[in-house]
Amino acid sequence: MMKHFFKQLFEYNHYSNQQLADAIYTNGEKISEKTLSLFSHILNAHHIWNSRIEAITPAVGIWEMYNVQDFRYIDQANFEQTLSVIDNIDLQATLDHLKIKGKPAGKNVGEILFHVINHSTYHRAQIATEFRQSGIPPLVTDYIFYERKKA
């Protein structure tokens, strides 16, 4: 049941990120540097948490920047890695990790996956504000609208 729920959440997250990547690419010169930084950060954080869960070294730092044309590909790789995590790792398993300032912490995998969704939604809202300030209509990325669109 929980695995199915998390798959649904990450399908929504992936759909929203793909739509955002397209909008950023389409609006080119209007896109602020902050938007590019925030979206890169969303993708980096997702990758870093996936890597921590799988006990592998992340390939990027938290604030590394990407080229706009790489956004869709990176999001796709994150999505596929997360589906593998959901399928192959116990969501109740505790992951011991270090906080940003180096202090030890531990959360279960399900809590971490929920954090990834929440973190992405938070920063997509910041990007919506950036879009408005740049004269670009913000995307509708609320979960309920995504569900209605699927129906």
Side-chain angles (χ1 to χ4, degrees):
M1 175 80 169
M2 284 305 288
K3 288 186 182 240
H4 176 72
F5 175 69
F6 276 111
K7 283 182 180 182
Q8 286 180 310
L9 286 179
F10 278 95
E11 287 168 3
Y12 149 71
N13 191 64
H14 177 59
Y15 173 82
S16 297
N17 285 347
Q18 293 289 302
Q19 295 299 310
L20 185 55
D22 289 346
I24 290 170
Y25 184 81
T26 300
N27 286 284
E29 296 294 321
K30 290 183 179 179
I31 299 297
S32 70
E33 192 67 25
K34 185 173 180 181
T35 293
L36 299 176
S37 177
L38 287 168
F39 195 55
S40 291
H41 175 69
I42 289 169
L43 299 174
N44 290 335
H46 190 166
H47 168 76
I48 289 167
W49 280 113
N50 279 340
S51 297
R52 286 177 176 171
I53 292 167
E54 292 188 322
I56 58 177
T57 302
V60 296
I62 197 71
W63 287 104
E64 286 187 37
M65 295 284 287
Y66 295 113
N67 292 320
V68 171
Q69 53 270 39
D70 295 332
F71 284 158
R72 287 181 62 84
Y73 166 78
I74 294 163
D75 179 64
Q76 181 68 36
N78 284 341
F79 175 62
E80 290 172 8
Q81 187 179 12
T82 301
L83 292 180
S84 176
V85 163
I86 293 168
D87 283 339
N88 298 306
I89 296 180
D90 178 5
L91 300 181
Q92 296 302 316
T94 299
L95 174 69
D96 294 320
H97 62 91
L98 297 177
K99 293 181 182 180
I100 291 174
K101 296 191 178 191
K103 292 186 178 185
K107 291 284 182 199
N108 75 42
V109 172
E111 290 172 318
I112 291 167
L113 292 175
F114 180 74
H115 168 72
V116 171
I117 295 293
N118 196 46
H119 178 263
S120 298
T121 302
Y122 173 79
H123 288 302
R124 281 194 301 267
Q126 290 178 310
I127 291 170
T129 299
E130 286 293 309
F131 270 32
R132 276 188 201 96
Q133 291 173 352
S134 299
I136 303 166
L139 302 179
V140 177
T141 59
D142 290 350
Y143 181 78
I144 198 72
F145 292 109
Y146 165 76
E147 281 295 313
R148 287 179 189 158
K149 194 173 207 168
K150 282 183 17 181

